[in-house]
Amino acid sequence: MIIPDNETAIDMIYSEAVSATVAKVIRDSGNEPLTVGVHGDWGAGKSSVLLMLEDAFSEDDRTSVVRFNGWLFQGLEDAKTVIIETIVEQLLRDRAFTTKLKDASKKLLKRVDLMKVASKAGGLALTGLTGIPSPDMLGGLMEQGKKLLAGGEDLTVGDMTGYVKNVTDCLNDPEAETLPAHIHAFRVEFEELLAAADIDRLVVVVDDLDRCLPATAIETLEAIRLFLFVPGAAFVIAADEGMIEYAVRSHFPDLPLSSGPSTYARNYLEKLIQVPFRLPPLGYVETKIYLTLLVAGSSLDTGSAPFDTLLNLGREALRRPWDGNGLSRGVIEERLGAVSAELENALILADQLALPLAEGAQGNPRQIKRFLNTLNLRLAIADARGIGDDVNPAVLAKLMLAERFKADFFERLEVEAAVSGSSITVATLEEALRKDDEEPEKSKKPATAKGRGQTERLPEDDLLASEWVRRWALVAPALADEDLRPYLFVSRDRKALFTAGTNLALKEDWIEKLCGSTLGARAAAVEIAKLTPGEIEQIFDVVAARIRAATDLKKRPGGIEGLAELCKISANLQTPTVRLLADLPSGQLGPWAATGWDKIFTGAEAKREFAKLKEGWAKLDENKPLQLAAGGGRSGRGKGTG
């Protein structure tokens, strides 16, 4: 089941704590105008906070809540007029019984209409000098007025003149002849509108502002401050701070970079937003609870008593996440009785995925949802193809973690497992970490290289040095004995792994022969030569990965003969073979690495790179056998042979 990725009033991450606090700030501010910012990255839950805020005022008949989404109107209407019209329409729906409100709204909408027509006419009809439409703009006003007010029907000049007279009646006051006076008059009329609505508070929630183009975002913010920032009005603006700062810089490109400790863009934002709230990312325990509720909610009815009980347990745990490990099985059994199969699956997945997702997805609820939805889609694909029984959700989820957060590591695993089904790199990692875990504490102290065990000797030092990879390898279940091909098959939305006509069983046999005796490698090469260049490269990558994972490089590792045969088949593999030799730890290499390649590396680039590599080995005093084989040391007077 796909988890909907939209705002929700079902609080699984305790966003209600933020919405309740915002509601309290609004109530405590009395009649003062107020702007509140709810900040956070995309997917952090800002829209859900606004939805919960609306619910917080749903029983308060002295407060009217208006939702405005500037993104919906972008490019269609002027942002200033749309937000004002949205507020007026909502007030009329909420307080339709008030005659005074209807009269006040008509007066305000006349001024809005003038702004709208003037904007469509290509300039501000209210000139700074007169505050009324200039004669030169009358033609434009008439044309745009026809389109705006008559819906395409023709109007007479008399009709249009009457219209202009009506929309300018509100400017007859001599004090309202300048543009500043017009803005002041607008605010006065807006206050009169709120008074006529007979409410204590108007709360306008502004969503998706960070999705708007810079000009629309700035226009909306300035409309709020210039026209609507009046007593009784409170605005709650949900937006990513970084995107709004970008909009400020784009809209005002000539602004200096900074002013004191803050940038001008930041100062502009802080001027508009009086009270900022920032939604924090989810931590480990919070992610674990969120995952449990999401997975359980996708299989249970979110309106059912069991889910409500589970949700309440999760909310209790979220109040003090530092006190425990989230939703424990014991507490769930105590409240719900026996744990269902669906809930058991949710607990297992949450325990498995919480830490990697908390770190990799940076505690972002939307990214966590997207991960689970991708997992569910791939499981559905497996069922549709009739291989659902071959795909363990826990194994697929673990592989997806590597795919999502450690792409280079996953690609190596992918190449290895695409043919044989297993990954020697993963098997070696799990074995090394298991041995580390079994060592007595005293043997874990950093002593000699011998005392550090097999972990430090692995060629994949860069992977083992990664704390993320180490934690990933320890996440249940272990993958060394798993056939990973079904999982890679259902993950082909990423890239095609299995080409048409590929016989995986035969490839596996060929790879084993390439990694065995010289005769076996030559026999396999005869058949491999019939494959496409891409398939040959795939086999090369698997053999190369096995060589990199070898733990004893003093003697010639299995696969070297195979690589030599592949280089004979495809000259394009000669340079990659030289670079593979260069990547191996030179201090651990035996003399074999420097000898026997003169008839293999026939290409100019491969010859040049190998000669340079041997020059480096010839100066390697810490590995005398390799140094001598490369022509260095006491034998350096003569010229070493390849």
Side-chain angles (χ1 to χ4, degrees), residues 193-205:
L193 178 75
L194 297 185
D198 191 27
I199 56 176
D200 296 330
R201 262 300 192 188
L202 169 69
V203 179
V204 182
V205 294

Side-chain angles (χ1 to χ4, degrees), residues 11-16 18 40-46 49 278-294 314 318 321 353-369 372:
D11 187 14
M12 299 185 187
I13 56 176
Y14 225 145
S15 296
E16 187 180 351
V18 177
D41 298 332
W42 282 351
K46 301 185 295 294
V49 169
R278 180 159 187 85
L279 301 182
L282 303 181
Y284 164 68
V285 173
E286 295 160 317
T287 299
K288 189 174 180 180
I289 294 171
Y290 185 53
L291 281 166
T292 303
L293 294 174
L294 282 177
L318 284 169
L353 301 177
L355 184 58
L357 280 180
E359 295 181 352
Q362 299 180 334
N364 185 287
R366 175 170 292 154
Q367 294 300 321
I368 294 171
K369 280 185 180 180
L372 289 178

